[in-house]
């Protein structure tokens, strides 16, 4: 058994967290590849090292002094090193980084140094080999991730027994440092798990796993034991954020499960993310989770005999494509067709889109309703149980909530409903309580 383990920023925020991480890694001999984030917040209101590094770079770029901010970064790293009595020569490295930022280093370079220094410290603490992510993770010169080059390089890790790798960044072919988007160490972990043919990718964070609903809305929400990659995509897409969205693809290709675990409660089993329904133990509850977000607009076109007008949907979708708006869903009736898109996507474009719809689709009426929240009730168990939709809708009706949109994918894994934004929280609560 080989495991790749990734620890997030809050798991590595100070020396005490480093100790927990070491206990976890050393407790299981198969935890051979360790990917680390930069130190995160120790308490509410604390700094994240990555934020401070970006701040230094932006101050330097505008010609302002940044040594006061850099000093905070130095103190955090030196404190960890000294408390753990490590031997890493941080002073020289910190001074190199300072000079690089001073002489115009890119934001990506600056931000990547948090992971770099943390990995050096962790490698020394564990007695593992340090391998720099810039030797492994490759980007094209246009900044997009180069999977082919990465996989062929990162396979070299297999010849090492125990390794620590900084997350979040790699190198372009021209040699410059490039980062993933924020939270991207999750992606590094996933890539390393695939390249080393790990049997499991453990992602250690500060929560017990994925919850069935947002705990700010449903404080008693239970942890999901097992979820498939596709269910998780539906849930994270709608706002459940524990893992970086893009971290699923590399391991999914290789059918490697991900186990989300809590560094502060290692005894909890966490959430297991598995390739498909075959790997899911029988579930008693058809609902795996419910998630949603506010901020959508529904544009509804009505036209008599719409269903006998070939190309209507094609023309309508073409308008949105031209305006570079991606669509969330398209609920339809016999003479109506609605487009649901996020307010963010539609910002500043609605008037032009309306004009094009009138000219190209010639509808009898167009209705635009904003302030809509979309809620996805997700569960592969829904396929096997009759009456799921019925109990979902009766729960909402009992809660006095009017449903504006209904959309069920034909794979029956997901029922999406649209409600007025003011009903958002009550709808999530009602659905959770009905099934959990
Ligand atoms: N340190 C980076 C961030 O704060 C990347 C990560 O933690 O995954 O976004």
């Amino acid at each position: 058994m080989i495991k790749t383990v990734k620890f997030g920023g809050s798991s590595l925020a100070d020396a005490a967290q480093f100790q927990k991480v070491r206990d976890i890694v050393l407790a299981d001999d198969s935890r051979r590849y360790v990917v680390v984030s930069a130190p995160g917040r120790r308490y509410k209101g604390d700094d994240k090292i990555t934020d401070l590094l970006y701040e230094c770079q932006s101050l330097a770029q505008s010609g302002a002094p940044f040594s006061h901010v850099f000093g905070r970064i130095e103190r955090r790293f030196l404190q960890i090193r000294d408390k753990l009595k490590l031997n890493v020569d941080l002073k020289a490295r910190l001074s190199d980084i300072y000079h690089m930022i001073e002489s115009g280093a890119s934001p990506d370079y600056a931000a990547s140094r948090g992971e770099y220094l943390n990995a050096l410290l962790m490698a020394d603490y564990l007695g593992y080999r340090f391998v720099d992510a810039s030797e492994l993770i490759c980007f094209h010169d246009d900044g997009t991730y180069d999977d082919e080059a990465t996989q062929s390089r990162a396979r070299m890790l297999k010849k090492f027994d125990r390794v620590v790798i900084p997350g979040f960044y790699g190198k372009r072919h021209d040699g410059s440092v490039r980062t993933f988007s924020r939270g991207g160490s999750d992606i590094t972990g996933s890539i390393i798990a695939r390249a080393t043919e790990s049997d499991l990718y453990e992602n250690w964070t500060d929560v017990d796993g994925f919850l069935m609903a947002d705990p700010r809305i449903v404080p008693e929400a239970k942890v999901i034991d097992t979820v498939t990659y596709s269910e998780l995509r539906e849930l994270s897409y709608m706002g459940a954020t524990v893992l970086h969205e893009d971290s699923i693809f590399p391991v999914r290709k290789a059918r490697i499960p991900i186990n989300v675990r809590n560094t502060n409660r290692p005894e909890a089993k966490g959430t297991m993310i598995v390739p498909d329904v075959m790997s899911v133990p029988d579930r008693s509850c058809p609902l795996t989770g419910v998630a949603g977000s506010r901020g959508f607009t529904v544009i509804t076109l009505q036209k008599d005999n719409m269903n006998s007008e070939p190309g209507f949907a094609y023309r309508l979708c073409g308008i949105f494509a031209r305006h570079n708006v991606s669509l969330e869903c398209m609920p339809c009736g016999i003479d109506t067709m609605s487009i649901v898109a996020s307010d963010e996507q539609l910002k500043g474009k609605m008037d032009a889109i309306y004009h094009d719809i009138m000219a190209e689709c010639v509808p009898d009426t167009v209705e635009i309703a904003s302030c809509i929240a979309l809620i996805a009730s997700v569960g592969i168990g829904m396929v096997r149980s009759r009456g799921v939709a019925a109990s979902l809708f009766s729960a909402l009706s009992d809660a006095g909530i009017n449903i504006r949109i209904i959309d069920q994918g034909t794979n029956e894994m997901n029922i999406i409903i649209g409600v007025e934004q003011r009903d958002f929280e009550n709808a999530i609560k009602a659905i959770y309580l009905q099934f959990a």
Side-chain angles (χ1 to χ4, degrees):
M1 170 77 107
I2 301 175
K3 291 181 185 168
T4 293
V5 291
K6 179 259 164 179
F7 292 88
S10 56
S11 302
L12 296 159
D14 58 19
Q17 291 299 94
F18 263 64
Q19 281 166 349
K20 290 184 193 170
V21 168
R22 185 167 77 162
D23 290 347
I24 290 168
V25 173
L26 300 185
D28 180 344
D29 211 38
S30 58
R31 295 183 174 133
R32 288 178 40 190
Y33 301 103
V34 180
V35 175
V36 297
S37 284
R41 293 193 183 93
R42 293 160 292 184
Y43 45 83
K44 221 172 152 204
D46 191 21
D47 301 309
K48 276 186 172 188
I49 290 294
T50 311
D51 293 337
L52 295 178
L53 286 161
Y54 277 124
E55 194 180 334
C56 288
Q57 195 278 338
S58 118
L59 287 168
Q61 200 182 22
S62 58
F66 65 92
S67 56
H68 57 296
V69 183
F70 200 81
R72 274 154 53 203
I73 299 171
E74 277 181 330
R75 280 194 292 280
R76 288 281 296 273
F77 280 114
L78 290 170
Q79 231 172 40
I80 296 174
R81 185 197 67 180
D82 295 343
K83 276 203 180 147
L84 300 176
K85 304 193 169 46
L86 305 176
N87 291 316
V88 182
D89 180 6
L90 275 183
K91 282 264 187 263
R93 292 190 162 98
L94 283 162
S95 132
D96 282 352
I97 296 169
Y98 184 90
H99 291 302
M100 287 292 286
I101 296 178
E102 196 179 35
S103 47
S106 69
D108 281 17
Y109 169 83
S112 73
R113 296 303 89 186
E115 270 71 10
Y116 170 74
L117 294 174
N118 230 20
L120 284 171
L121 292 177
M122 185 51 80
D124 192 46
Y125 191 39
L126 292 174
Y128 280 23
R129 172 189 286 266
F130 168 85
V131 176
D132 197 344
S134 57
E135 305 299 319
L136 307 169
I137 310 285
C138 307
F139 289 88
H140 297 287
D141 288 343
D142 67 1
T144 52
Y145 168 62
D146 182 347
D147 190 48
E148 221 180 290
T150 301
Q151 287 301 324
S152 79
R153 279 188 179 218
R155 264 182 238 128
M156 69 90 152
L157 283 174
K158 284 199 280 182
K159 59 178 195 249
F160 302 125
D161 201 28
R162 304 192 175 262
V163 181
V164 176
I165 303 137
F168 191 37
Y169 72 93
K171 200 163 74 174
R172 289 188 186 85
H173 298 304
D174 68 9
S176 58
V177 170
R178 167 79 178 149
T179 63
F180 291 110
S181 58
R182 295 300 302 264
S185 301
D186 285 343
I187 309 175
T188 311
S190 181
I191 292 168
I192 299 300
R194 176 159 159 237
T196 56
E197 295 175 38
S198 291
D199 301 285
L200 183 66
Y201 170 27
E202 285 180 348
N203 189 294
W204 291 83
T205 174
D206 53 5
V207 291
D208 280 353
F210 284 90
L211 297 178
M212 285 182 70
D214 185 339
R216 286 166 300 187
I217 303 174
V218 185
E220 71 277 21
K222 292 187 206 146
V223 174
I224 303 174
D225 287 341
T226 314
V227 59
T228 65
Y229 292 134
S230 347
E231 286 176 310
L232 193 66
R233 281 287 297 153
E234 303 283 350
L235 286 168
S236 54
Y237 174 59
M238 297 294 293
T241 48
V242 174
L243 265 186
H244 192 296
E245 265 195 282
D246 295 340
S247 65
I248 293 177
F249 299 112
V251 280
R252 184 178 189 161
K253 264 194 198 155
R255 300 178 60 80
I256 300 167
I258 310 175
N259 190 190
V260 176
R261 302 282 296 265
N262 189 346
T263 302
N264 304 317
R265 258 174 40 84
E267 65 282 9
K269 286 200 323 237
T271 297
M272 192 66 109
I273 308 163
V274 295
D276 53 41
V277 60
M278 307 295 285
S279 337
V280 179
D282 255 357
R283 285 182 181 148
S284 49
C285 171
L287 181 86
T288 303
V290 52
S293 36
R294 297 180 171 85
F296 293 93
T297 292
V298 193
I299 300 131
T300 304
L301 282 70
Q302 195 276 329
K303 186 173 189 182
D304 281 348
N305 292 327
M306 178 190 287
N307 67 334
S308 54
E309 192 179 314
F312 189 88
Y314 176 75
R315 287 197 300 283
L316 179 60
C317 291
I319 295 170
F320 286 86
R322 249 189 356 253
H323 288 277
N324 203 19
V325 172
S326 61
L327 311 178
E328 295 299 319
C329 56
M330 270 186 74
C332 299
I334 192 147
D335 281 339
T336 60
M337 194 168 282
S338 302
I339 297 273
V340 185
S342 75
D343 296 346
E344 179 98 355
Q345 292 268 331
L346 292 168
K347 209 153 133 197
K349 300 177 180 169
M350 204 52 242
D351 288 347
I353 290 175
Y354 180 82
H355 174 269
D356 291 354
I357 289 176
M358 295 315 272
E360 292 168 44
C361 301
V362 203
D364 297 338
T365 61
V366 177
E367 233 182 79
I368 299 172
S370 52
C371 299
I372 296 289
L374 289 184
I375 298 172
S377 302
V378 177
I380 40 167
M382 289 179 177
V383 179
R384 280 169 264 146
S385 5
R386 247 178 292 148
V388 173
S391 42
L392 191 138
F393 296 129
S394 64
L396 292 167
S397 141
D398 292 348
I401 294 163
N402 180 32
I403 304 171
R404 298 284 305 265
I405 301 165
I406 301 173
D407 193 36
Q408 179 181 330
T410 40
N411 60 6
E412 284 194 75
M413 195 182 68
N414 192 358
I415 300 175
I416 295 179
I417 57 151
V419 298
E420 304 276 346
Q421 270 177 188
R422 60 168 183 270
D423 291 329
F424 177 63
E425 302 206 337
N426 284 339
I428 298 246
K429 267 187 222 153
I431 295 171
Y432 177 83
L433 291 175
Q434 183 74 0
F435 291 102

